[in-house]
């Protein structure tokens, strides 16, 4: 069963942006808000095992790297002066 929410104290500028997007996409304000929420919240949280699998694959794709602490500090300082 669908649920209902009420948004209170919605800033005028945000309401205007939502209304403009709804008009542009030929949707009601309600449907545009739902699409924005779905997009912003993304999909359901992936499983921990799925996340670990993707992390391990990323690490393997990067190959072996080793930096010494002085080199890391130097990288941090670049463009900070």
């Amino acid at each position: 069963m669908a649920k209902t929410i009420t948004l209170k104290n919605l800033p005028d500028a945000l309401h205007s942006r939502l209304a403009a997007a709804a008009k542009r996409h030929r949707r009601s304000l309600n449907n545009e808000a739902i699409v924005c929420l779905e997009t912003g919240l993304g999909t359901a949280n992936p499983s921990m095992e799925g996340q670990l699998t993707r992390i391990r694959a990323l690490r393997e794709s990067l190959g072996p790297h080793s930096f010494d602490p002085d080199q890391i500090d130097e990288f941090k300082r670049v463009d900070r002066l």
Side-chain angles (χ1 to χ4, degrees), residues 68-81:
D68 65 44
D70 293 331
Q71 196 174 23
I72 292 171
D73 287 339
E74 184 180 332
F75 290 150
K76 290 178 187 177
R77 284 192 294 276
V78 171
D79 294 330
R80 289 190 180 186
L81 299 175

Side-chain angles (χ1 to χ4, degrees), residues 3-5 11 16 19 21 23 25-28 35 39 52-53 55 68 70 79 81:
K3 303 292 182 188
T4 301
I5 64 170
S16 295
K23 184 175 182 178
H25 298 127
R26 304 177 109 191
R27 296 184 183 122
S28 67
V35 169
T39 302
L52 289 173
T53 299
I55 290 168
D68 65 44
D70 293 331
D79 294 330
L81 299 175

Side-chain angles (χ1 to χ4, degrees), residues 21-41:
K23 184 175 182 178
R24 187 172 51 252
H25 298 127
R26 304 177 109 191
R27 296 184 183 122
S28 67
L29 273 174
N30 187 74
N31 285 344
E32 188 67 25
I34 290 170
V35 169
C36 289
L37 286 168
E38 287 174 338
T39 302
L41 294 174

Side-chain angles (χ1 to χ4, degrees), residues 45-63:
N45 291 336
S47 69
M48 182 61 70
E49 190 57 43
Q51 289 178 354
L52 289 173
T53 299
R54 283 192 300 280
I55 290 168
R56 289 181 183 121
L58 175 61
R59 281 186 186 161
E60 288 176 18
S61 73
L62 296 175

